[in-house]
Structures are given as C-alpha cells and as structure tokens.
C-alpha cells in the first residue's frame, strides 16, 4: 500500500540517522520561507495587474464619458468672446422698466498700458499659474477638489483659470456640472492654442465686469478712483482685482468692508508669489483707500427695483439648483440676461412716490438742539443716516414709507422707501422694523379672540384701571371709560380693553395668529401683554403690516405679497413662475366683523379724516411720544400701509401722531382707486344682525336701559345674545341726602332713578404716574347707584299711641281711635286681611285728627290695621297695629276702646 511504503521509507531514513530532528526542522523552515516569498511576490503581481486593468477601465470609461460630453460642446467662435448679457426688468403690463446697466462703459487699452503690478494683482487672485498652464491648471483643480471635499460642498472654489473664465462667460452656462467642466477645459485648451498669453490676459482685463455698468480695467479705474489704469497704486490694483469674482457683492460702493477684506487677500497672494516685496506689501496694506463718488442709479422706480433685485429675486435664484451662493445669484442678475417680470404698476408707483415726497403732507419743520444732536450722533454712531445731514443744519424732517398691494392676488403694486431716493438715501424703510402702536391690536388681540369665540363686536370689556406687577397701562387721553363694547374699544383705539382681551386670549395664541397673518419680526421676548399696545422688541415693517391687513381685506385668506411674476433666462426659458398658495388664517366671519369695526374707525374713530369716497377700513397706530406713526387702510381690492417717523427715533416726534398719516392715505387711495367701481366688503353667511343691545351689558335692552345705551350690533349667528340687560336698574333715592331711600325718608323726598350696576374696580394710586394720577376711576362709575342708605332720615317719628278699634253695626263699621299728638303732619292708615300679605292703603288723615271710620268691611273677616304718623319734617313713624274680627257676636277689639276726653 502507498501508505505503508511511505512509512517504511520514513523509518528507513530515520534509522540511518542522516538528519537530526533539529536539522529537519531548520531545513523545513527555510523551504517554507522560500516558498512564502515567492507567493507574496506572485500576489503583488496579481494585484498590480488588477489595478492596471481597473485603471485602464476607469480611464477608458472617463474618456468615453468625456467624449460624450464633448459631442455637445459649442463651437469655439471668437465672436462670442463678448461682454456679459444685459438683464431686463418689466412691469405688470409687460413693458420694460429698465435694462440693468445696459449702457456698458468700455474703454479698450492694450496690455502695454496696464502696469505690471496691475496685471499681477489679477493673476495672483485669479490664476497664479497663468503663464505655466495650457488653459487648465491641474494643480489648482486638485486643490479646489480637496477644499470641496474638506467642506463637504460642491459650491466652493472651482479651480478655473483666467482662460476658463473667459470660456465660461462666452460659451457655457453657469451651472456647476461635470459635463460643463469638461467642455470648459476642452475649449480653454483650444483657446490657448489660438491666442498668446498676452492676448488672453489683455482680452480678460478689457472684458471683465466691475459692477455699476463698468466693464474693463480702464473704466473701473476711472469709476472707482477717478484715474487712469496706468496711475493705479498696488493697493488700488489689489482692490480692483478683488471685485470681478462677484462685482455686485464685492463692489466697495456696496460692501466696502467686504471688498477691503478681499483686497487684503489679494495683497497676501501677490507677496507670496513674489510679485511685490515685503515693504511694498506693508505700504499697500496701510494705504487709505479713497473712493470716488458712487455712481448714481439711473433706473426708474428705484425703491421698487431695489427690493426686486436685492431681496425677492435673490431668494428666488438661490432656490434654483444652478445658483449656490449670493455671489453667483448677483452675477446672474447683472450679467446673464435674465428677464424679470414684476408686479409693478408704474402709475401707482408714481402716485405713491409723489405722495410720500409731498412736503405739504408733512408736519412743519422744527429746530433741534444742535449740541444735544451732535452728541447723540456721535455716541450712537448715527452719522451714516440721511437725517444726520439735515441735523447738521438744525432742521429735522420725518421720513415716510408706503406699500401698496392687491390683497386678493398678493401682487405688490408700489413700494416707496422714503423721500427723494439718492446716493445718501437708499434705505428701504418699508423693511425697517418700527413700533406699530395700536395698529397691531386687531392682529394680535381682537381678530384672534374673535376667531376663538372669546369675544364678539358687542362683547363688554371694562376700561377701568388695570395693573400687572408695576405695569399700569393707560389710554392715550388717560381717561377710563368703564364698560365698553369691543367695537367701541377698537374704534376709539382704547388700550386697557385691548390688554384685557390679549390677556384673556393669552399672548402665545395672539402672537401665533399675528405671525400666520404675516408679521415676521416678532421676537421671542414679545410674549407679554405690552405687545398688544405695540411695545415690541424690534417692531414691525410696513411691508408686513400690508401683508397682515391684506388677510382681513381678503376674507381671512393670506396670499403672500410678491413683486415678481416670473423669471426667464436669456433664451426665454422659464426659470421661475409665481404660484399663489392661499392659506386660510381666520374665518370669513371674523375678517368681516373686524373689517366692519374698522370701517367705523373711519366713520367716527381715530381715522375719521380718511375720506376716499367709498367703503374703506383703517387702523391707526402711534407710539409713545409720537416717535412712529402707522396707518393701514384697505378696500376689497387694495391695501395700503404707511409709516412715518425719523430714521433715528430719538431725533424727533411726529406732530399730530397718526393723524399726520391721513393726508398721505387720502392722496394715495383716492388717486389709485379713481375710475374704479366702488366695492363694499362681502358679508359672509353666519352673521346675524344688526340687533339692538345695551352697550353696557352686551345683552338685549331691558326696561331700564337708557336710550343712549342702546346700540345696534352684528354677531356670529351662534353667539347672538338672548338674555336681557341686568345691569341697568331702577332704585328709590332720597332727594335730600342723594342716598338710597330708607324706610324713614319722607315720601315727598323720594324719587326714582336708573343706575348701572357695574363691576367692582380699583382706583388709581401712586403706582400710576403723571399729573393727577391718583384717585381716578372709570367714567361710568358716576352711573352707579349709592351704596349707602339715607343718613338724614335715620329715626322714625314717634308712633301713634293708644290705638283702639270699635265695631258697629248698621252699617257695619270699624272705628279707629288713637291719642292725639303734637308735631304730627298726617296719619297713614293701612289694612290687610289676616292670612294675607296684601296691604291696602285706606286713607291719609290730617295730623289734627285722631279717629277714622272704615265702612268698607265685611262680616266674618279678621282685619289687621296699621297706623303710621308722619311728623312735620316728613319722617314716618313705626306703625301701631291692632286686630279685630267681624264675626257674629264680636264687638270691641282688644284692648278695650278708650274714648278721648
């Protein structure tokens, strides 16, 4: 057997003793090592072959993909190496408003006219290996890839060379995709083969955009520094080199600090690359940059256009996949030929701008304390505000802002951010949060409380002294009116009822509704009762106020206000289209009820001077010391929000408060709505009335409600009051004391009056501030009845004495005799039947009489007689009382009859 033979052989070898055990082991180890080394090398060869094959496959795949990308590459046409395409803005009718920097100022200069340090500044920041690559820079590209990987982002640096930038702007789209990068690299190599480095750099420096319509280094040098390119210092060249990456962002006219920061980066790169010495670097870094005057804006309606460009359009573009940063979005706005269709109505914009700029609408100028003004400007760093210019001359004029929109569509028709737009007055004040005063009451208190069925227009709120902690809010005129309806509270813009309503509702619920209606600047610290009076951390903007009141005008439905209808690219391809997303915030019933109240505010309330010849609702708002004034007015087809105030609130007050806003609103709304058919607000189902109620109880009028307390009111159908007023009562009063009549008050001194049983209230004390702060009560407290009884008629007159009753027949008669007394004016005799509570008045007897015969009696009845004496002062006595029966056989009453002598 093979096995046995093998064993035999092994034993034979061992028997010969040729190898010892150690030798066998040692030789076996050497054999194993030799065999293992050969296996390891063989494994490496296999891995290397596999990697090579994989690399070949990857390269082949990459080349295949690259080849497919190159099939769609645009032809290299030198004629397309042209400046960026101009964007255009259109109004709501499709008419062009402006071409964004359409007139490009360009002066071509040769590379020989451009100093070397200017050339190097651009090369240092844009393409450090410009003279070394063939159109693409693998090192720069690899660095960009590493940075993007480190940041886990695709929006970082792209590693593009100067040549690639020219190619991208001339031939390709701005989106960051692999296909575009492959095509860009291919065309860049092609361009490098056709042009020299000097030609490419000259082309680049004469073409690049520097913002504000300036294209090319020569125009930029003139615009920013008022000098030729050949006169630029290293510092100035570095600043210009910092701009092209995003001219609208890095323009020192717009963001000087940002531009200077990037200038420092350019200087650092120039030094690192050996373009400047250390001494030149230090001198350039320390050089003060003196800019020329900012170029004036030439497009019309700048307050509207600025919002479109820098706010709404920016947000829209950043939502699109091809724009990842604000820099890229700005480049698209100014250089990629966008077609922006807006909601602007030029006629309405001109009307609104004219009204806000009309000096006759503003309060009279007044002088200011110049030392105090300069100190304030210095301490608060307000010197950049436009009003600081006026302050230097001791004259202060308030500013204004207005927003005009269609509440049903959300289209903004006009935006005015101030008076006299210019280089020193570009502030979009309709976006500046300012305190709203009472204009916020319907939004955070009344509308939400109605929506929660906590109140109706006829609900009663007590306008009485109110204190929470050390806070004691007051009405504007410092009066407390007592029990008032919600309608009266809002029409008169009373503060205490608004605070009580907000407290009942809770701030969290009220603020949630206000945010849903469109207020975006509410702070976390605003969850307190002062918010309902406009005492907010930041305030609100006129834009947001128009948005929120548009909900009331549009039957409780919120449609986002917007200024852009659609955006197209240079080829007419749709990039964005506005799509409304209506949201119901409050019910149509709540919106109608609040609107109906605010219509009364125009008829006889705080906005009573607003007259536009059609139904309109409005709410005013004035802050403490008249620092800010708001007025928001609306019809079914228009909402207008107006703010007046000073850019620096501490610099002045608005004389007349919110009344000052009325002329502006009359001017705007009457002209805008001219020739339109007047529309009234549609009353939705679920509203009942008007029905008569008592304006002190909120219930149906009772028998004692005075005529001037009865008003007509509308209600949600499910909450119509059914009960009758129980606060107005009738009481007897003693004329002599003015107090409640007592049982001793003479009849001729007693009168009947109607009074109000109002709830208890507190009287103002030292916690309230100001003149005559202590001892104030609600005005309707005067309608309350006396709480005490007459203190003049406190004792009864002496009662009659010796009252006796005597029964006689034929005819049946009961005779009353009593003892005669002095100082008695008259006697009063009453009778009742035993077992009955009904008392009959029988006779008034002169005081000089001491008997009375009653013949109105019947047999078989027990009678009880009461005799009162009334003294000469009119005071009635306690009664003397006797009982007698007319049953058969009965006769004299007890005690026995005593006849007078």
């Amino acid at each position: 057997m093979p096995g046995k033979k093998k064993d035999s052989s092994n034993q034979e070898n061992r028997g010969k003793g040729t190898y010892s055990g150690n030798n066998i082991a040692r030789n076996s180890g050497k054999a194993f090592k030799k065999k293992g080394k050969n296996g390891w090398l063989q494994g490496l060869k296999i891995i290397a072959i596999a990697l090579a094959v994989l690399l070949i496959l990857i390269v082949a795949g990459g080349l295949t993909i690259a080849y497919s990308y190159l099939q769609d590459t645009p032809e290299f046409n030198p004629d397309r190496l042209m400046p960026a395409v101009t964007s255009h803005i259109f109004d709501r009718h499709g008419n062009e408003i402006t071409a964004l920097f359409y007139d490009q100022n360009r002066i071509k200069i040769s590379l020989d006219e451009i100093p070397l340090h200017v050339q190097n500044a651009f090369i240092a920041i844009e393409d450090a290996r410009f003279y070394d690559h063939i159109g693409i820079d693998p090192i720069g590209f690899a660095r960009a890839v590493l940075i993007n990987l480190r940041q886990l982002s695709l929006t970082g640096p792209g590693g593009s060379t100067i040549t690639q930038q020219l190619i991208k702007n001339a031939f390709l789209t701005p989106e960051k995709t692999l296909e575009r990068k492959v095509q860009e690299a291919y065309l860049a190599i092609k361009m490098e083969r056709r042009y020299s480095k000097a030609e490419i750099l000259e082309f680049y420096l004469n073409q690049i955009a520097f913002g504000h319509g300036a294209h090319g280094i020569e125009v930029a040098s003139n615009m920013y520094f008022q000098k030729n390119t050949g006169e630029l210092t290293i510092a100035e060249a570095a600043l210009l080199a910092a701009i092209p990456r995003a001219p609208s962002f890095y323009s020192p006219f717009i963001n000087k600090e940002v531009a200077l920061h990037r200038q420092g980066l350019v200087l650092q790169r120039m030094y690192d690359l050996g373009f400047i010495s250390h001494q030149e670097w230090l001198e350039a870094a320390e050089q003060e940059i003196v800019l020329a005057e900012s170029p004036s804006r030439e497009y019309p309606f700048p307050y509207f256009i600025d919002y479109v460009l820098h706010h709404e359009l920016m947000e829209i573009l950043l939502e699109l996949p091809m724009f990842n940063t604000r820099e890229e979005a700005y480049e698209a706005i100014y250089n990629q030929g966008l077609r922006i269709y807006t909601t602007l109505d030029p006629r309405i914009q001109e009307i609104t701008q004219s009204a806000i700029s009309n000096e006759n609408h503003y309060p009279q100028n007044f002088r200011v304390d110049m030392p105090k003004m300069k100190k304030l400007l210095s301490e608060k760093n307000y010197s950049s505000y436009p009003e600081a210019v006026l302050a230097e001359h001791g004259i202060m004029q308030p500013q204004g802002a207005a927003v005009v929109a269609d509440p049903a569509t959300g289209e903004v028709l006009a935006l005015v951010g101030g008076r006299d737009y210019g280089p020193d007055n570009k502030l979009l004040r309709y976006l500046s949060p300012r305190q709203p005063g009472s204009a916020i009451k319907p939004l955070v208190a009344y509308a939400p409380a109605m929506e929660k069925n906590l109140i109706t227009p006829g609900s009663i709120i007590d306008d009485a002294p109110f204190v929470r902690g050390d806070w004691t809010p007051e009405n504007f005129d410092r009066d407390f009116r007592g029990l008032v309806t919600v309608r009266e509270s809002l029409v008169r813009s009373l503060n205490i009822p608004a605070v009580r309503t907000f407290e009942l509702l809770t701030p969290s619920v009220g603020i949630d509704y206000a945010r849903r209606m469109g207020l975006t600047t509410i702070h976390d610290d605003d969850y307190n009762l002062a918010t309902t009076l406009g005492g907010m951390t930041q305030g609100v903007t006129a834009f947001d106020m128009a948005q929120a009141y548009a909900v009331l005008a549009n039957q409780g439905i919120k449609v986002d206000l917007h200024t852009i209808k659609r955006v197209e690219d240079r080829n007419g391809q749709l990039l964005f289209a506005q799509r409304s997303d209506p949201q119901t915030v409050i019910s149509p019933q709540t919106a109608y009820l609040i609107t109906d109240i605010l219509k009364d505010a125009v008829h006889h309330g705080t906005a009573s001077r607003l007259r536009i010849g059609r139904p309109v609702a409005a709410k005013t708002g004035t802050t403490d010391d008249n620092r800010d004034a708001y007025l928001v007015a609306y019809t079914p087809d228009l909402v207008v929000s107006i703010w007046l105030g000073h850019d620096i609130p501490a610099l002045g007050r608005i004389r007349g408060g919110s009344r000052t806003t009325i002329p502006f609103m009359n001017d705007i709304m009457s002209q805008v709505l001219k020739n339109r058919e007047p529309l009234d607000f549609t009353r939705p189902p679920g509203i009942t009335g008007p029905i008569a109620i008592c304006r002190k109880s909120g219930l149906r009028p009772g028998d004692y409600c005075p005529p001037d307390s009865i008003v007509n009111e509308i209600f949600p159908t499910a909450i119509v009051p059914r009960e009758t007023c129980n606060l107005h009562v009738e009481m007897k009063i003693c004329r002599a004391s003015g107090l409640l009549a007592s049982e001793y008050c003479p009849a001729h001194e007693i009168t009947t009056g109607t009074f109000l049983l109002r709830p208890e209230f507190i009287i103002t004390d030292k916690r309230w501030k100001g003149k005559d702060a202590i001892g104030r009560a609600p005005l309707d407290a005067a309608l309350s009845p006396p709480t005490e009884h007459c203190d003049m008629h406190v004792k009864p007159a002496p009662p009659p004495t010796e009252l006796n009753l005597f029964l006689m027949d034929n005819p049946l008669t009961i005779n009353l005799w009593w003892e005669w007394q002095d100082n008695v004016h008259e006697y009063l005799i009453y009778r009742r039947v035993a077992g009955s509570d009904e008392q009959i008045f029988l006779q008034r007897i002169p005081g000089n009489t001491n008997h009375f015969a009653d013949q109105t009696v019947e047999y078989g009845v027990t009678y009880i007689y009461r005799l009162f004496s009334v003294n000469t002062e009119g005071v009635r006595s306690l009664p003397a009382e006797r009982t007698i029966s007319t049953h058969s056989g009965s006769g004299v009453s007890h005690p026995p009859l005593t006849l007078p002598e």
Side-chain angles (χ1 to χ4, degrees), residues 811-831:
L812 182 63
T813 303
I814 297 178
N815 289 287
L816 289 75
W817 292 85
W818 58 90
E819 185 177 10
W820 184 85
Q821 295 174 306
D822 292 331
N823 299 321
V824 174
H825 173 67
E826 62 183 358
Y827 294 97
L828 306 176
I829 302 173
Y830 294 85
R831 185 191 73 192

Side-chain angles (χ1 to χ4, degrees), residues 134-135 163 186-196 200:
I134 59 172
T163 312
Y186 171 75
L187 292 173
I189 294 173
K190 204 166 187 178
M191 183 176 184
E192 290 268 352
R193 291 177 177 177
R194 181 161 185 156
Y195 297 100
S196 68
I200 293 173

Side-chain angles (χ1 to χ4, degrees), residues 372-382:
K372 179 180 179 181
M373 182 67 61
K374 290 181 179 180
K375 183 174 184 294
L376 179 64
L377 291 172
S378 174
E379 291 177 351
K380 299 296 184 180
N381 192 27
Y382 285 144

Side-chain angles (χ1 to χ4, degrees), residues 42 56 201 458 517 622 627 670 752 822 885:
Q42 187 174 3
I56 291 172
L201 184 58
M517 291 177 78
T622 307
R627 301 293 184 186
S670 61
T752 300
D822 292 331
S885 295

Side-chain angles (χ1 to χ4, degrees), residues 10 120 151 228 254 263 321 342 360 492 497 594 630 643 707 770 888:
N10 288 340
N120 288 337
Q151 296 177 348
N228 297 326
I254 299 174
Q263 177 214 33
T342 74
N360 295 326
R492 292 179 176 269
I594 293 294
Y630 265 103
W643 167 84
S888 177

